[in-house]
Amino acid sequence: MMTMQLMSSGVVFLFVMVFLTWVHAVLAEGENGHGGIRNYISWEDLQVDEQRLTLKRHDDVRVIIVNKYGWGHSKTVQGAVDMVPDNNKHRVKIYIYPGVYREKVRVPVSKPYVSFIGKRNQTATPVITWNSKSSDKGTNGQALGTFDTATVGVDSDYFCASGVTFENSVIATAGVKGMQGVALRVNSARAMFYQVKIKGAQDSLLDNTGSHYFLKCHILGKVDFIFGNAKSLYENCLLESIADNFGAIAAHHRNSATEDTGFSFVGCSIRGSGRVYLGRAWGNYSRIIYSKCTMDDIIIPEGWSDWNHSDRKKTAVFGEYECNGKGADRNKRTAWSKSFSYDEAVPFLQKSFIDGDQWLRL
C-alpha cells in the first residue's frame, strides 16, 4: 500500500513538473515574440540577420525591405510603414538600404513595435530627408507650424532605430522667423535611437513627449536643435553645433514642478562652430542636466538663457556635473545654474531616469 502511494505521489510530482516546464516554454515563446507581446526594446530589435535575409512576403518574416532602386518590398520608407498592420502585436523590422529617401514619413500610434534599421557595413547610410519649414503653407492654406515640419514623425510605442539619418535640409539663420524645420519628431511613449544621425538647423529634434533613450547618436543644428518636453536620456552622443554666430543646444518645455520630464546628457561630446548656450528655459520649469560631458570652447560663458523671462531663473533646473573641456569652465556661468553634487546628479545618470528597467533590455 505504501509503495503504491509513493508511486502515485511520484506521478503527480512528475506531472506537475512537466506542466510547469510547459508553462515556462509558452511564456518564453511569448517573450520571444512568437506567441505574445514583448513590451520592451532589446538589441535584437535593432538587428537584422543579413546572411539569412531573403525577399519573402514581409508578413511571413516580419522584415520589410526598403530599396529605392526596386529590389525590396517597397521603394519608400512610408510604403514600408504602411505595410505594418494596425494594432500590430509583434516586432516588425523595416530594413533600409543605403540611398537618399526624399519623403515625409509618419509612424502612427496604431503601429507599435516598429524598427528602422539601416544596412550595415556601408560607407553610405540611408538618409530620410525633406525640407519643410514652419512658414510653409499646408493643404489647408495655413502655415504648417513647427510640429508639422518633421521629416519623420514617430508616435509609435516601442519604436527603435539604428544606422539611419533623419534630415531636414532647410538652411536657417538664427533669429529668422518661420525657418524652424524638424528632422525627427518623437511622441512615442517609449522609444530608443542607437547610432542615428539627426541633422537640421533650427529645431532639428523635437523630443516632444514620452520617455526616450538616445545612445551614441550624432545630433547637429544651430538653434535649440534638441527641444520638447520629453523625459529623455542622451548617453555618449555627439552634439554638434553648426551655428554661424550664436545658437543653443537644448530648449526644454517643462511647465510645472510636478511634471516628471527633462533632458539628461551623460558622457556626451559637444563641438562645432559658433557660440552656443547649453540650454534655454523654454518652459518655466525647464530641466536640463549635463553630466561628465566634454565641452569644446564654443559654449557662451554664461552657459544658460532664461529666454528673456527673468522669473524662470527661480524655477528652471539647469545643472552641470563633472564636465570637462574649455567650454565647461563655470567661472562666468549664470548664478542661477548649478554645479551638481553627486547626490544631486545621480538620479539623472542612469537609465533609471527614464524608467529604462521597465522597457529596455540591453
Side-chain angles (χ1 to χ4, degrees):
M1 188 70 174
M2 182 64 69
T3 302
M4 292 182 63
Q5 289 177 337
L6 288 172
M7 290 179 62
S8 178
S9 298
V11 170
V12 171
F13 176 76
L14 181 61
F15 173 78
V16 170
M17 291 302 295
V18 170
F19 176 75
L20 291 175
T21 301
W22 175 79
V23 169
H24 182 269
V26 169
L27 291 175
E29 183 182 17
E31 286 217 335
N32 287 329
H34 302 300
I37 299 174
R38 285 175 44 168
N39 285 329
Y40 60 86
I41 296 171
S42 69
W43 286 122
E44 179 188 346
D45 299 326
L46 291 159
Q47 299 172 355
V48 166
D49 187 347
E50 295 177 339
Q51 300 302 316
R52 300 177 61 185
L53 192 63
T54 57
L55 192 59
K56 297 180 181 179
R57 286 170 51 87
H58 67 84
D59 52 352
D60 290 336
V61 295
R62 295 185 189 157
V63 176
I64 302 174
I65 300 171
V66 178
N67 190 318
K68 66 173 295 183
Y69 301 107
W71 187 89
H73 299 106
S74 175
K75 291 183 178 181
T76 66
V77 179
Q78 187 64 60
V81 172
D82 293 343
M83 293 178 186
V84 179
D86 283 340
N87 305 310
N88 172 54
K89 291 181 172 58
H90 301 285
R91 175 65 54 181
V92 177
K93 300 174 182 180
I94 296 178
Y95 184 64
I96 310 171
Y97 270 72
V100 177
Y101 296 84
R102 185 170 171 73
E103 55 179 307
K104 276 192 170 185
V105 178
R106 298 292 179 261
V107 188
V109 67
S110 61
K111 298 178 186 287
Y113 313 109
V114 170
S115 302
F116 282 8
I117 303 173
K119 181 173 172 56
R120 295 180 308 212
N121 300 324
Q122 295 284 329
T123 55
T125 61
V127 177
I128 308 171
T129 185
W130 197 252
N131 64 339
S132 288
K133 60 183 181 295
S134 62
S135 58
D136 289 345
K137 297 293 191 294
T139 55
N140 61 0
Q142 302 297 313
L144 284 176
T146 304
F147 186 89
D148 287 327
T149 64
T151 298
V152 176
V154 179
D155 299 317
S156 164
D157 201 4
Y158 297 104
F159 177 89
C160 58
S162 176
V164 180
T165 294
F166 304 98
E167 179 186 63
N168 189 308
S169 60
V170 167
I171 300 174
T173 301
V176 176
K177 187 177 179 180
M179 297 299 291
Q180 297 91 336
V182 175
L184 174 66
R185 185 191 74 231
V186 190
N187 281 75
S188 305
R190 290 156 289 262
M192 177 182 175
F193 299 85
Y194 175 62
Q195 290 186 337
V196 305
K197 187 174 185 179
I198 303 164
K199 183 179 181 181
Q202 183 169 349
D203 299 352
S204 306
L205 169 59
L206 175 46
D207 193 5
N208 201 34
T209 60
S211 295
H212 311 139
Y213 184 39
F214 295 83
L215 177 62
K216 296 184 178 180
C217 295
H218 182 182
I219 308 166
L220 67 164
K222 296 182 178 182
V223 185
D224 305 331
F225 55 91
I226 301 170
F227 75 113
N229 195 25
K231 185 181 184 183
S232 296
L233 174 64
Y234 295 79
E235 189 169 8
N236 298 331
C237 292
L238 171 59
L239 312 178
E240 183 177 357
S241 168
I242 54 172
D244 301 310
N245 297 304
F246 70 94
I249 297 170
H252 193 255
H253 199 261
R254 183 168 172 253
N255 269 323
S256 77
T258 59
E259 286 186 56
D260 189 17
T261 62
F263 295 155
S264 176
F265 299 92
V266 179
C268 295
S269 296
I270 300 171
R271 71 184 189 196
S273 61
R275 303 290 280 174
V276 293
Y277 289 108
L278 290 169
R280 300 205 295 168
W282 186 22
N284 291 335
Y285 288 79
S286 176
R287 182 161 67 174
I288 306 170
I289 296 93
Y290 290 86
S291 303
K292 301 184 178 182
C293 294
T294 300
M295 303 177 182
D296 280 1
D297 191 20
I298 62 169
I299 307 302
I300 294 171
E302 293 80 6
W304 306 88
S305 167
D306 62 10
W307 208 289
N308 297 321
H309 293 272
S310 59
D311 286 349
R312 294 178 185 175
K313 295 177 182 179
K314 303 174 184 177
T315 52
V317 181
F318 290 155
E320 297 168 60
Y321 172 68
E322 289 192 353
C323 294
N324 61 82
K326 291 184 178 180
D329 184 355
R330 286 191 49 82
N331 285 328
K332 295 183 180 180
R333 287 289 194 265
T334 56
W336 47 278
S337 72
K338 292 190 66 176
S339 178
F340 272 21
S341 67
Y342 173 76
D343 288 341
E344 290 172 314
V346 72
F348 305 98
L349 296 178
Q350 307 294 332
K351 289 190 282 293
S352 56
F353 170 62
I354 53 172
D355 301 316
D357 54 327
Q358 299 178 22
W359 59 275
L360 290 170
R361 297 193 184 178
L362 304 173

